[in-house]
Amino acid sequence: MTLYHALIRTHHITSRKKVASLRKAAGKYGCFALLRSGGCPGIMYCKGSEEGVKEWVSTVQRLRYKDFFPASKPAAVQLELSPKGTSSPQVEDPAGLVEVETVGEFHAAMEKRGVSAWWRRAMEFA
């Protein structure tokens, strides 16, 4: 099965009610979601089936986050090459939602999943 992912930026993620809705949607659509919550900036990453990722992104749009910006629309995951020339290992993420508090923790999670360069380009850090 081809995995898809998407990245969304917002002004902030602080509403626990909205986070609960995102957690429920991740389970419903069988996606893994990673959120940088608690302040500015808000960053959301979703990975799963093509349909699941698209539905989860639609859920985010319906919640009307301030400054919603799809930094990377749903697309097939392309693993990056490690310094040794082999592809990064694919992390098997269970469906559900995980929150981190800092951008640094979010970046570490992207490195672990083999999509760090993609994330940096999408966030306009590179």
Side-chain angles (χ1 to χ4, degrees):
M1 175 177 109
T2 301
L3 289 175
Y4 283 73
H5 60 176
L7 186 69
I8 298 167
R9 283 193 327 234
T10 66
H11 183 269
H12 63 276
I13 300 173
T14 56
S15 169
R16 301 313 304 162
K17 188 175 179 180
K18 287 183 181 182
V19 170
S21 294
L22 295 174
R23 186 178 310 277
K24 184 177 176 182
K28 179 179 179 180
Y29 300 121
C31 296
F32 168 76
L34 178 67
L35 269 61
R36 190 279 177 197
S37 59
C40 299
I43 309 170
M44 303 178 205
Y45 173 76
C46 180
K47 181 173 77 173
S49 68
E50 181 179 14
E51 188 64 26
V53 170
K54 287 180 178 179
E55 290 296 330
W56 191 85
V57 169
S58 293
T59 299
V60 176
Q61 287 178 304
R62 285 191 298 275
L63 292 172
R64 301 185 56 159
Y65 274 94
K66 181 178 181 180
D67 296 339
F68 171 89
F69 178 72
S72 179
K73 295 180 180 178
V77 175
Q78 295 180 354
L79 297 179
E80 300 161 3
L81 294 179
S82 70
K84 295 178 184 174
T86 59
S87 64
S88 299
Q90 182 70 19
V91 175
E92 292 295 326
D93 291 308
L97 185 139
V98 175
E99 292 182 73
V100 296
E101 294 182 5
T102 68
V103 175
E105 288 175 286
F106 200 96
H107 180 247
M110 295 293 95
E111 282 184 325
K112 180 180 174 185
R113 286 161 181 80
V115 293
S116 178
W118 167 84
W119 177 75
R120 290 176 54 79
R121 282 190 308 275
M123 292 295 292
E124 300 176 353
F125 293 155

